[in-house]
Amino acid sequence: MPVLASHRKPRTKVRTTTPAVGFTTAALASVTLLSTQSATAAPVEPKPAIEDVQKKVDELYRQAGSATQQYNRAKAASTAQRAKVDTLLSDVAKRTEKINEARRELGAFAAEQYRTGGIAPTATFFLADDPQAYFDQSRLMSRSTERQQKAVDDFRTQQAAASKKRAEAVQSLESLTETQTTLRSSKQQVQNKLTEARSLLAKLTAEEKARLAELERKKEAEAKEKAEKLARRQAAEAKEREKREAAEKKAREEAAKESGGDSGSGSGSGTGTGTSPGSGTGTGTGAGTDGSYAAKAEKVLAFARAQIGKPYVWGASGPASYDCSGLTQAAWREAGVTLPRTTWDQVKVGTRVATSDLQPGDLVFFYDDISHVGIYKGDGMMIHAPKPGANVREESIYYMPIYGSVRPA
């Protein structure tokens, strides 16, 4: 048989590219790994500029100051509420004792009635030795009944009063609990803000801290320059005022001489009438009021100067340390003026004054939320307890944005 030809196609040898596949797989794996690492790695945030750190720290201190005022208010309210609760509880105890006394008296009447028994009036009349004896006994029983009724009425009155006072005490206790919750919350807010500020400052390098200190010096210098401008303006206004008052006084004296006739009579009339109603009412009363305030302000500033160098401690009101409103409260107390505890309440005391009209002793408040206060000492400067980490010191009133000012007395 002839051999049949094969119709199968010859096999083509396929070259294996194992090394290339291995390289490609490795490359893909590397890309995948890098991609995974890039996806999981936290993005590196750019370090904030030192100016931004300064603004952030200042804002945190301001927020801590505001929380401090909230703490001070809650603490004052808590103290007052605790005193009220103690008074109410003492009152309840006294009224409870009165209730017990009334109850004992009622018990005595009940026991007496039980021993004697309830005898009808008719039976009493027939059992009496004579009619007069009956009527005497009847009057005695009537008085006894009146005493019993009075005892019952007293018992009911004391019971109602005690119940009312007990309800007041419960309500006051609930209010005290709420106030103490606010107190703890405010304290935590202050601590959180201060911790955040310290954390920001702790991350700064030595070079950054030096730059921050330089920014603070620049800020202080600018504030001091503004204070000096205010001092020059106030001095010029005071000089102009003195000239005007001197001219007015001279005009009054000349007018008095002309209207007085001869010299002796004119002088006497001028001094008596002119000085008393004219000078006395115009300048004298004004000077008297100013003098009285100036005397108080001098005591305030003398106290404030004596505190310079003592540390700021939030919530403190002396004598070893102060916060801003604690210092102003203690200083004005030396002059016999009682101020509230917080800046928010102190700003409502006395008379509002413009910055250009400030006098020594006036209180200057800062920020839109009125979270800081200082005592004006003159020439655009104040004495205040600045912030945590700083001591009581003199500083320009322009170091912080001014909210407004008051004259407390």
Side-chain angles (χ1 to χ4, degrees):
M1 277 182 75
V3 179
L4 296 174
S6 174
H7 294 285
R8 294 180 179 174
K9 292 179 67 177
R11 291 182 179 178
T12 37
K13 293 184 178 180
V14 181
R15 290 186 59 186
T16 58
T17 56
T18 304
V21 172
F23 175 77
T24 304
T25 304
L28 287 171
S30 300
V31 171
T32 303
L33 181 61
L34 288 172
S35 299
T36 304
Q37 290 177 343
S38 299
T40 56
V44 179
E45 293 183 3
K47 198 167 186 179
I50 196 66
E51 291 81 4
D52 294 333
V53 172
Q54 183 191 37
K55 290 178 181 178
K56 180 65 175 175
V57 169
D58 287 347
E59 176 62 15
L60 286 169
Y61 279 138
R62 185 199 63 76
Q63 291 175 4
S66 184
T68 296
Q69 296 308 312
Q70 184 66 42
Y71 172 85
N72 290 339
R73 174 177 283 180
K75 187 176 181 181
S78 177
T79 301
Q81 199 68 32
R82 168 55 66 185
K84 183 179 179 181
V85 167
D86 290 344
T87 301
L88 285 171
L89 291 176
S90 176
D91 194 303
V92 167
K94 290 177 182 178
R95 291 182 183 277
T96 301
E97 180 57 31
K98 289 182 179 180
I99 289 174
N100 292 336
E101 289 176 5
R103 186 179 284 114
R104 285 192 290 270
E105 188 175 359
L106 287 176
F109 283 130
E112 182 181 355
Q113 189 174 14
Y114 177 78
R115 286 194 302 271
T116 58
I119 303 175
T122 304
T124 305
F125 176 78
F126 284 114
L127 290 174
D129 294 336
D130 58 69
Q132 185 60 44
Y134 165 76
F135 288 117
D136 290 343
Q137 188 176 2
S138 178
R139 283 196 296 272
L140 182 63
M141 290 299 295
S142 177
R143 287 196 294 271
S144 177
T145 302
E146 288 174 2
R147 288 199 304 273
Q148 291 178 18
Q149 185 60 45
K150 185 177 182 302
V152 171
D153 292 341
D154 287 345
F155 175 78
R156 288 174 177 170
T157 300
Q158 295 297 337
Q159 193 175 41
S163 179
K164 182 180 178 182
K165 287 297 180 182
R166 192 176 293 108
E168 288 180 20
V170 170
Q171 187 177 2
S172 294
L173 280 170
E174 290 174 353
S175 179
L176 177 61
T177 301
E178 292 176 2
T179 303
Q180 289 177 334
T181 301
T182 303
L183 187 66
R184 287 191 294 270
S185 174
S186 300
K187 181 177 181 179
Q188 190 60 51
Q189 286 181 32
V190 175
Q191 292 173 335
N192 290 345
K193 297 299 180 184
L194 295 181
T195 299
E196 189 176 351
R198 294 189 190 105
S199 177
L200 281 172
L201 293 173
K203 293 176 182 177
L204 298 178
T205 63
E207 182 181 353
E208 288 171 333
K209 288 179 181 178
R211 286 174 58 198
L212 182 62
E214 180 60 32
L215 288 175
E216 284 292 325
R217 284 191 292 271
K218 183 179 178 181
K219 182 179 177 182
E220 290 171 3
E222 291 173 352
K224 189 175 181 181
E225 185 179 352
K226 288 182 179 180
E228 290 170 352
K229 286 182 180 179
L230 175 62
R232 289 193 295 269
R233 185 166 67 250
Q234 287 180 330
E237 289 173 354
K239 191 174 181 180
E240 184 63 30
R241 187 165 54 251
E242 287 175 2
K243 284 183 180 179
R244 186 169 60 252
E245 289 173 356
E248 290 173 355
K249 181 180 179 183
K250 185 177 180 181
R252 285 195 300 271
E253 289 175 350
E254 289 177 353
K257 286 180 181 179
E258 291 177 1
S259 63
D262 69 310
S263 177
S265 173
S267 178
S269 176
T271 304
T273 307
T275 303
S276 188
S279 231
T281 304
T283 308
T285 303
T289 303
D290 291 346
S292 174
Y293 182 76
K296 291 179 181 178
E298 185 53 43
K299 292 179 181 179
V300 170
L301 288 170
F303 178 87
R305 290 188 191 100
Q307 312 314 308
I308 290 177
K310 292 183 179 181
Y312 174 102
V313 174
W314 65 271
S317 55
S321 57
Y322 298 89
D323 62 18
C324 64
S325 57
L327 176 63
T328 53
Q329 184 189 48
W332 267 100
R333 190 186 300 123
E334 288 294 305
V337 176
T338 302
L339 293 180
R341 180 62 180 89
T342 71
T343 55
W344 302 328
D345 295 321
Q346 288 181 7
V347 75
K348 300 173 186 176
V349 175
T351 307
R352 292 295 293 269
V353 293
T355 303
S356 58
D357 297 329
L358 283 170
Q359 293 181 14
D362 291 347
L363 300 181
V364 187
F365 297 87
F366 302 90
Y367 301 112
D368 290 340
D369 61 355
I370 323 175
S371 56
H372 192 73
V373 63
I375 305 169
Y376 189 68
K377 67 175 288 291
D379 298 331
M381 303 293 286
M382 66 178 171
I383 299 174
H384 71 141
K387 59 187 178 182
N391 297 331
V392 176
R393 66 193 183 199
E394 292 185 7
E395 199 152 46
S396 166
I397 62 172
Y398 293 103
Y399 184 77
M400 295 167 283
I402 297 174
Y403 172 83
S405 306
V406 301
R407 190 158 296 149

